[in-house]
Amino acid sequence: SWIVRAGSSLPGQYKRSKMPRDDAPATEDEELSTPEEKEAWLRAHGVEIESAEDRRKKAEAAAAATHPLEHVEGVTRRVKYVRIPADDSEPFEQLEVILAHDAAGDQLPDVLRPRFIGGGAINEKMAREQAIRQLGENGAALTGAALENASAQGSTETFALVRPSSTNGNAGVYLYLDEVGMLKGLAPNSRAVGLARDCGFDGVQFYGDMFVGRVQAEPSPMRNVDFAVADLSVGSEWLRVAAAENYRHNQSMSELQAAMKDKGGMTTIGFGGGSGDGEMPKGEGDGYRWSQTDDEVEVVVDAGEGAKAKDVWAMFRPDHVKVVVNGETKFEVGGDKPPGLFRKVRPDDCTWTIEKGKVVVTLQKTDEQLWHDLVAVP
């Protein structure tokens, strides 16, 4: 897809004139059929256009400006991560990013976002069907323009292969993927699927090139640390214990669910979190209130009397959270309601519970910095 710049004229028909030989009569114009021919024709006729590839290059240039290419000792630091190509014939690729020395939180989602720009047209029918399953009738309003925008901007999704914990040295390993890779029709990534299976996750599917990185949660603040190709070997310590770590994590969630149900009939989805301690900033808005601890932000959303877990759908992104009850959006910050959350969160570790008409959303901070508000300053 292309964007035609303002002030450019776009002819209604693309044709390429054939130049007649001296000994041959002139022929009619030949219509252009491929996108490449059309793009070349437009550029040759002075039409300024911006293709998906152009947008990708601009985003990479912007990312390079954010993450400098020159390493300065004591000012910046190098962090290794790995690309897992979807093509099994390609080897793992060792990559490196240069970050500010004091960069806190997981920086890879922003670093990798330009990698996920373009890559194929989104299947609108499949996307709308998925949205309807998740959002009910509201999902039917999903537009092609919104899908195109998601593809044009690039979006990174994270998948926790193992979360930081006291038993693994507070180091977590994460997969980073194109959020709409399946909808773009990207090729399945069998090696990433196998890696997830080795970590105890059966039945997951990934599409397109994937990336693997590591974060160190303690000592605070959380930060990116090296993950090398050698860390993907079967004998790696993190991989050897990952399945057991995830089993303990799931078991603790089940025990928490049972305990909460016994105490008051609460239906829980994943981990809940603490509330504010009365001294840290907190507040309220239309249909919700929020508070925080050192490592979590809790948002209590009015869901309406009689609402049950099956009626609730929640979506988490690094700077965007949305809660839908019976197809109606009850709470949203970010996305179509900018400017987004005050600080970024870790989507894979965000959860929600429901009790007595209230949806309690727990947002996992990427570091222990104080939130002065729930919403970022525009």
Side-chain angles (χ1 to χ4, degrees):
S1 62
W2 305 313
I3 296 175
V4 181
R5 293 299 184 192
S8 301
S9 59
L10 180 61
Q13 189 175 24
Y14 306 95
K15 290 188 176 182
R16 175 174 58 204
S17 296
K18 290 184 176 179
M19 298 301 295
R21 304 189 307 272
D22 292 339
D23 59 346
T27 60
E28 293 185 359
D29 289 347
E30 178 186 358
E31 290 199 19
L32 306 178
S33 57
T34 68
E36 291 76 13
E37 289 177 337
K38 292 177 181 179
E39 182 176 345
W41 191 95
L42 288 169
R43 293 187 188 278
H45 286 74
V47 178
E48 185 181 354
I49 65 174
E50 185 182 73
S51 66
E53 179 65 14
D54 293 330
R55 295 194 293 273
R56 184 187 65 79
K57 289 180 178 179
K58 284 186 177 180
E60 287 181 343
T66 302
H67 306 281
L69 299 179
E70 298 297 330
H71 174 57
V72 180
E73 191 67 35
V75 177
T76 62
R77 56 190 174 94
R78 300 177 185 273
V79 176
K80 296 178 181 179
Y81 62 103
V82 175
R83 180 175 76 99
I84 304 178
D87 185 347
D88 288 346
S89 66
E90 293 186 39
F92 298 137
E93 182 182 6
Q94 185 71 71
L95 298 172
E96 186 177 79
V97 63
I98 298 177
L99 303 175
H101 186 73
D102 59 353
D106 188 355
Q107 301 295 309
L108 284 182
D110 284 341
V111 170
L112 293 171
R113 184 176 60 81
R115 294 267 192 164
F116 302 132
I117 291 176
I122 291 180
N123 185 320
E124 291 189 27
K125 181 180 178 182
M126 183 185 299
R128 191 167 288 109
E129 288 175 350
Q130 183 177 4
I132 290 173
R133 286 196 298 270
Q134 294 179 333
L135 298 175
E137 294 181 0
N138 285 358
L142 185 66
T143 65
L147 294 171
E148 174 64 24
N149 182 64
S151 178
Q153 299 299 319
S155 183
T156 307
E157 181 177 344
T158 62
F159 181 91
L161 291 172
V162 62
R163 295 174 174 81
S165 70
S166 58
T167 56
N168 62 21
N170 295 298
V173 177
Y174 290 81
L175 279 174
Y176 304 86
L177 56 143
D178 188 336
E179 185 178 32
V180 289
M182 181 185 70
L183 300 179
K184 291 178 180 177
L186 301 182
N189 194 316
S190 60
R191 287 182 291 185
V193 170
L195 180 61
R197 184 170 55 247
D198 291 341
C199 293
F201 298 102
D202 290 324
V204 296
Q205 293 295 327
F206 300 116
Y207 301 87
D209 288 357
M210 309 281 292
F211 301 84
V212 192
R214 176 182 279 124
V215 298
Q216 185 70 41
E218 296 291 344
S220 182
M222 177 186 288
R223 62 203 181 280
N224 294 99
V225 293
D226 285 344
F227 187 90
V229 169
D231 291 321
L232 290 173
S233 64
V234 176
S236 296
E237 178 64 17
W238 80 271
L239 187 55
R240 187 180 64 80
V241 301
E245 290 279 341
N246 288 319
Y247 174 79
R248 283 193 291 269
H249 173 80
N250 293 334
Q251 188 177 43
S252 65
M253 282 202 303
S254 298
E255 292 172 354
L256 178 62
Q257 289 177 343
M260 297 175 84
K261 287 179 181 179
D262 289 342
K263 290 181 178 180
M266 177 181 287
T267 302
T268 177
I269 309 296
F271 274 124
S275 59
D277 59 10
E279 298 177 357
M280 307 177 81
K282 58 184 178 180
E284 59 183 44
D286 185 15
Y288 72 90
R289 67 180 185 272
W290 71 278
S291 58
Q292 64 181 304
T293 64
D294 286 339
D295 54 8
E296 295 176 343
V297 174
E298 182 180 275
V299 184
V300 180
V301 180
D302 294 334
E305 290 298 326
K308 301 183 183 300
K310 65 180 180 63
D311 304 321
V312 179
W313 176 82
M315 183 271 292
F316 303 105
R317 299 290 181 266
D319 62 352
H320 180 197
V321 59
K322 184 174 184 177
V323 176
V324 177
V325 181
N326 287 319
E328 179 184 354
T329 300
K330 292 291 189 178
F331 172 79
E332 183 174 16
V333 174
D336 294 334
K337 295 184 178 296
L341 293 167
F342 187 79
R343 296 188 187 279
K344 291 187 177 181
V345 299
R346 181 169 290 285
D348 199 58
D349 295 325
C350 296
T351 58
W352 59 269
T353 64
I354 183 169
E355 180 184 25
K356 298 178 181 178
K358 305 289 184 183
V359 176
V360 180
V361 174
T362 303
L363 305 176
Q364 190 70 38
K365 294 180 178 180
T366 58
D367 52 51
E368 294 187 359
Q369 295 188 61
L370 193 68
W371 287 35
H372 299 287
D373 203 341
L374 183 64
V375 181
V377 178

